[in-house]
Short mmCIF file of all heavy atoms in Angstrom, two decimals:
data_model
loop_
_atom_site.label_atom_id
_atom_site.label_comp_id
_atom_site.label_asym_id
_atom_site.label_seq_id
_atom_site.Cartn_x
_atom_site.Cartn_y
_atom_site.Cartn_z
N ASP A 61 -91.59 -72.16 -158.80
CA ASP A 61 -91.75 -72.80 -160.15
C ASP A 61 -91.38 -74.40 -160.01
O ASP A 61 -90.26 -74.68 -160.18
CB ASP A 61 -90.88 -72.12 -161.16
CG ASP A 61 -90.85 -72.74 -162.50
OD1 ASP A 61 -91.75 -73.60 -162.74
OD2 ASP A 61 -90.09 -72.32 -163.37
N ARG A 62 -92.39 -75.12 -159.74
CA ARG A 62 -92.15 -76.55 -159.52
C ARG A 62 -91.73 -77.21 -160.76
O ARG A 62 -90.75 -78.06 -160.70
CB ARG A 62 -93.43 -77.22 -159.08
CG ARG A 62 -93.32 -78.68 -158.67
CD ARG A 62 -92.65 -78.83 -157.39
NE ARG A 62 -91.44 -79.54 -157.57
CZ ARG A 62 -90.31 -79.52 -156.76
NH1 ARG A 62 -90.27 -78.83 -155.79
NH2 ARG A 62 -89.27 -80.27 -157.10
N ALA A 63 -92.23 -76.80 -161.91
CA ALA A 63 -91.81 -77.41 -163.23
C ALA A 63 -90.36 -77.07 -163.46
O ALA A 63 -89.59 -77.90 -163.99
CB ALA A 63 -92.78 -76.95 -164.25
N GLY A 64 -89.93 -75.74 -163.21
CA GLY A 64 -88.66 -75.45 -163.49
C GLY A 64 -87.67 -76.14 -162.51
O GLY A 64 -86.55 -76.53 -162.90
N LYS A 65 -87.97 -76.34 -161.27
CA LYS A 65 -87.19 -77.14 -160.29
C LYS A 65 -87.02 -78.49 -160.79
O LYS A 65 -86.00 -79.07 -160.68
CB LYS A 65 -87.70 -77.06 -158.92
CG LYS A 65 -87.62 -75.75 -158.26
CD LYS A 65 -88.11 -75.87 -156.86
CE LYS A 65 -87.66 -74.71 -155.91
NZ LYS A 65 -88.19 -74.86 -154.59
N ASP A 66 -88.13 -79.06 -161.34
CA ASP A 66 -88.08 -80.51 -161.76
C ASP A 66 -87.13 -80.63 -163.04
O ASP A 66 -86.50 -81.55 -163.14
CB ASP A 66 -89.51 -80.99 -162.17
CG ASP A 66 -90.45 -81.22 -160.97
OD1 ASP A 66 -89.82 -81.35 -159.85
OD2 ASP A 66 -91.61 -81.31 -161.18
N ARG A 67 -87.21 -79.59 -163.92
CA ARG A 67 -86.26 -79.61 -165.08
C ARG A 67 -84.76 -79.51 -164.67
O ARG A 67 -83.96 -80.22 -165.14
CB ARG A 67 -86.66 -78.49 -166.06
CG ARG A 67 -87.82 -78.72 -167.00
CD ARG A 67 -87.88 -77.67 -168.07
NE ARG A 67 -88.07 -76.29 -167.59
CZ ARG A 67 -89.12 -75.72 -167.04
NH1 ARG A 67 -90.24 -76.39 -167.20
NH2 ARG A 67 -89.14 -74.47 -166.68
N LEU A 68 -84.51 -78.70 -163.76
CA LEU A 68 -83.25 -78.48 -163.27
C LEU A 68 -82.82 -79.73 -162.51
O LEU A 68 -81.61 -80.14 -162.65
CB LEU A 68 -83.13 -77.24 -162.20
CG LEU A 68 -81.80 -76.89 -161.75
CD1 LEU A 68 -80.70 -76.65 -162.82
CD2 LEU A 68 -81.83 -75.71 -160.80
N ASN A 69 -83.61 -80.42 -161.79
CA ASN A 69 -83.29 -81.57 -160.99
C ASN A 69 -82.93 -82.65 -162.05
O ASN A 69 -81.89 -83.39 -161.80
CB ASN A 69 -84.49 -82.03 -160.25
CG ASN A 69 -84.17 -83.22 -159.42
OD1 ASN A 69 -83.13 -83.30 -158.65
ND2 ASN A 69 -84.91 -84.28 -159.49
N ARG A 70 -83.67 -82.84 -163.18
CA ARG A 70 -83.39 -83.79 -164.26
C ARG A 70 -82.12 -83.59 -164.85
O ARG A 70 -81.24 -84.44 -165.11
CB ARG A 70 -84.55 -83.94 -165.21
CG ARG A 70 -85.79 -84.66 -164.65
CD ARG A 70 -86.82 -84.92 -165.77
NE ARG A 70 -87.16 -83.70 -166.52
CZ ARG A 70 -88.17 -82.86 -166.23
NH1 ARG A 70 -88.84 -83.11 -165.18
NH2 ARG A 70 -88.36 -81.86 -167.09
N PHE A 71 -81.82 -82.27 -165.22
CA PHE A 71 -80.53 -81.86 -165.84
C PHE A 71 -79.38 -82.22 -164.87
O PHE A 71 -78.34 -82.76 -165.19
CB PHE A 71 -80.63 -80.39 -166.09
CG PHE A 71 -79.14 -79.95 -166.63
CD1 PHE A 71 -78.65 -80.31 -167.78
CD2 PHE A 71 -78.37 -79.24 -165.64
CE1 PHE A 71 -77.39 -79.83 -168.24
CE2 PHE A 71 -77.15 -78.77 -166.10
CZ PHE A 71 -76.67 -79.11 -167.33
N LEU A 72 -79.41 -81.80 -163.54
CA LEU A 72 -78.34 -81.94 -162.70
C LEU A 72 -78.16 -83.42 -162.38
O LEU A 72 -76.91 -83.84 -162.05
CB LEU A 72 -78.69 -81.30 -161.28
CG LEU A 72 -78.55 -79.81 -161.36
CD1 LEU A 72 -79.00 -79.09 -160.16
CD2 LEU A 72 -77.17 -79.29 -161.71
N ALA A 73 -79.14 -84.29 -162.51
CA ALA A 73 -78.90 -85.76 -162.28
C ALA A 73 -77.98 -86.31 -163.36
O ALA A 73 -77.20 -87.30 -163.07
CB ALA A 73 -80.21 -86.48 -162.38
N MET A 74 -77.93 -85.70 -164.51
CA MET A 74 -77.02 -86.17 -165.55
C MET A 74 -75.71 -85.28 -165.55
O MET A 74 -74.81 -85.56 -166.35
CB MET A 74 -77.75 -85.88 -166.99
CG MET A 74 -78.92 -86.99 -167.04
SD MET A 74 -79.78 -86.77 -168.70
CE MET A 74 -80.26 -85.01 -168.67
N HIS A 75 -75.64 -84.21 -164.82
CA HIS A 75 -74.58 -83.19 -164.94
C HIS A 75 -73.92 -83.19 -163.58
O HIS A 75 -74.05 -82.12 -162.84
CB HIS A 75 -75.14 -81.81 -165.41
CG HIS A 75 -74.07 -80.77 -165.64
ND1 HIS A 75 -73.28 -80.77 -166.69
CD2 HIS A 75 -73.78 -79.68 -164.90
CE1 HIS A 75 -72.55 -79.79 -166.59
NE2 HIS A 75 -72.80 -79.12 -165.54
N HIS A 76 -73.24 -84.19 -163.09
CA HIS A 76 -72.30 -84.13 -162.04
C HIS A 76 -72.90 -84.00 -160.62
O HIS A 76 -72.41 -83.60 -159.64
CB HIS A 76 -71.21 -82.95 -162.13
CG HIS A 76 -70.54 -82.90 -163.44
ND1 HIS A 76 -69.66 -83.87 -163.78
CD2 HIS A 76 -70.57 -82.07 -164.46
CE1 HIS A 76 -69.15 -83.66 -165.00
NE2 HIS A 76 -69.70 -82.50 -165.40
N ALA A 77 -74.30 -84.36 -160.48
CA ALA A 77 -74.92 -84.23 -159.19
C ALA A 77 -75.87 -85.48 -159.11
O ALA A 77 -77.04 -85.45 -159.13
CB ALA A 77 -75.77 -83.03 -159.08
N PRO A 78 -75.28 -86.71 -159.05
CA PRO A 78 -76.06 -87.90 -158.88
C PRO A 78 -76.71 -88.19 -157.62
O PRO A 78 -77.72 -88.93 -157.66
CB PRO A 78 -75.09 -89.09 -159.33
CG PRO A 78 -73.80 -88.40 -158.86
CD PRO A 78 -73.77 -86.97 -159.08
N ASP A 79 -76.20 -87.66 -156.53
CA ASP A 79 -76.85 -87.93 -155.23
C ASP A 79 -78.14 -87.20 -155.10
O ASP A 79 -78.24 -85.87 -155.17
CB ASP A 79 -75.79 -87.39 -154.08
CG ASP A 79 -76.37 -87.71 -152.74
OD1 ASP A 79 -76.55 -88.85 -152.39
OD2 ASP A 79 -76.77 -86.75 -152.10
N ASP A 80 -79.22 -87.94 -154.87
CA ASP A 80 -80.60 -87.36 -154.69
C ASP A 80 -80.74 -86.36 -153.67
O ASP A 80 -81.22 -85.19 -154.02
CB ASP A 80 -81.64 -88.44 -154.52
CG ASP A 80 -81.90 -89.44 -155.70
OD1 ASP A 80 -81.41 -89.06 -156.80
OD2 ASP A 80 -82.30 -90.43 -155.49
N GLU A 81 -80.13 -86.48 -152.50
CA GLU A 81 -80.31 -85.57 -151.39
C GLU A 81 -79.67 -84.31 -151.65
O GLU A 81 -80.11 -83.21 -151.45
CB GLU A 81 -79.90 -86.23 -150.16
CG GLU A 81 -80.23 -85.53 -148.83
CD GLU A 81 -79.89 -86.21 -147.68
OE1 GLU A 81 -80.17 -87.48 -147.64
OE2 GLU A 81 -79.38 -85.58 -146.68
N ALA A 82 -78.37 -84.46 -152.08
CA ALA A 82 -77.57 -83.27 -152.42
C ALA A 82 -78.15 -82.44 -153.53
O ALA A 82 -78.15 -81.29 -153.49
CB ALA A 82 -76.13 -83.67 -152.64
N ARG A 83 -78.62 -83.18 -154.47
CA ARG A 83 -79.20 -82.57 -155.71
C ARG A 83 -80.40 -81.72 -155.31
O ARG A 83 -80.70 -80.58 -155.76
CB ARG A 83 -79.54 -83.51 -156.79
CG ARG A 83 -79.89 -82.86 -158.08
CD ARG A 83 -80.03 -83.89 -159.25
NE ARG A 83 -81.05 -84.92 -159.01
CZ ARG A 83 -80.86 -86.09 -158.67
NH1 ARG A 83 -79.54 -86.57 -158.69
NH2 ARG A 83 -81.79 -87.06 -158.52
N ALA A 84 -81.26 -82.34 -154.45
CA ALA A 84 -82.50 -81.58 -154.11
C ALA A 84 -82.12 -80.36 -153.27
O ALA A 84 -82.73 -79.24 -153.45
CB ALA A 84 -83.40 -82.52 -153.16
N ALA A 85 -81.14 -80.42 -152.43
CA ALA A 85 -80.69 -79.23 -151.65
C ALA A 85 -80.11 -78.29 -152.56
O ALA A 85 -80.32 -76.99 -152.42
CB ALA A 85 -79.61 -79.67 -150.58
N LEU A 86 -79.40 -78.65 -153.64
CA LEU A 86 -78.78 -77.75 -154.68
C LEU A 86 -79.89 -77.05 -155.37
O LEU A 86 -79.73 -75.92 -155.66
CB LEU A 86 -77.74 -78.51 -155.53
CG LEU A 86 -77.18 -77.74 -156.58
CD1 LEU A 86 -76.35 -76.58 -155.98
CD2 LEU A 86 -76.34 -78.58 -157.46
N VAL A 87 -80.79 -77.80 -155.78
CA VAL A 87 -81.97 -77.15 -156.67
C VAL A 87 -82.60 -76.02 -155.88
O VAL A 87 -82.89 -75.02 -156.25
CB VAL A 87 -82.99 -78.26 -157.18
CG1 VAL A 87 -84.20 -77.66 -157.62
CG2 VAL A 87 -82.28 -79.08 -158.16
N ASN A 88 -82.97 -76.38 -154.58
CA ASN A 88 -83.70 -75.35 -153.64
C ASN A 88 -82.72 -74.22 -153.52
O ASN A 88 -83.08 -72.97 -153.43
CB ASN A 88 -84.10 -76.04 -152.43
CG ASN A 88 -85.24 -76.88 -152.55
OD1 ASN A 88 -86.09 -76.72 -153.40
ND2 ASN A 88 -85.26 -77.98 -151.89
N TRP A 89 -81.37 -74.43 -153.22
CA TRP A 89 -80.51 -73.35 -153.05
C TRP A 89 -80.43 -72.51 -154.18
O TRP A 89 -80.36 -71.33 -154.09
CB TRP A 89 -79.08 -73.87 -152.52
CG TRP A 89 -78.10 -72.89 -152.25
CD1 TRP A 89 -77.97 -72.28 -150.97
CD2 TRP A 89 -77.07 -72.41 -153.04
NE1 TRP A 89 -76.94 -71.41 -151.07
CE2 TRP A 89 -76.28 -71.52 -152.32
CE3 TRP A 89 -76.64 -72.62 -154.37
CZ2 TRP A 89 -75.27 -70.81 -152.85
CZ3 TRP A 89 -75.60 -71.94 -154.90
CH2 TRP A 89 -74.94 -71.04 -154.15
N LEU A 90 -80.25 -73.04 -155.43
CA LEU A 90 -80.16 -72.24 -156.58
C LEU A 90 -81.44 -71.48 -156.88
O LEU A 90 -81.30 -70.32 -157.38
CB LEU A 90 -79.86 -73.25 -157.80
CG LEU A 90 -78.47 -73.73 -157.83
CD1 LEU A 90 -78.41 -74.87 -158.90
CD2 LEU A 90 -77.41 -72.66 -158.25
#
Side-chain angles (χ1 to χ4, degrees):
D61 179 8
R62 186 73 242 156
K65 285 182 168 183
D66 289 343
R67 281 190 303 277
L68 183 57
N69 185 54
R70 286 191 305 273
F71 171 76
L72 290 173
M74 297 180 296
H75 185 74
H76 308 294
D79 179 70
D80 292 341
E81 190 174 318
R83 189 172 63 249
L86 179 59
V87 167
N88 288 325
W89 184 83
L90 286 169

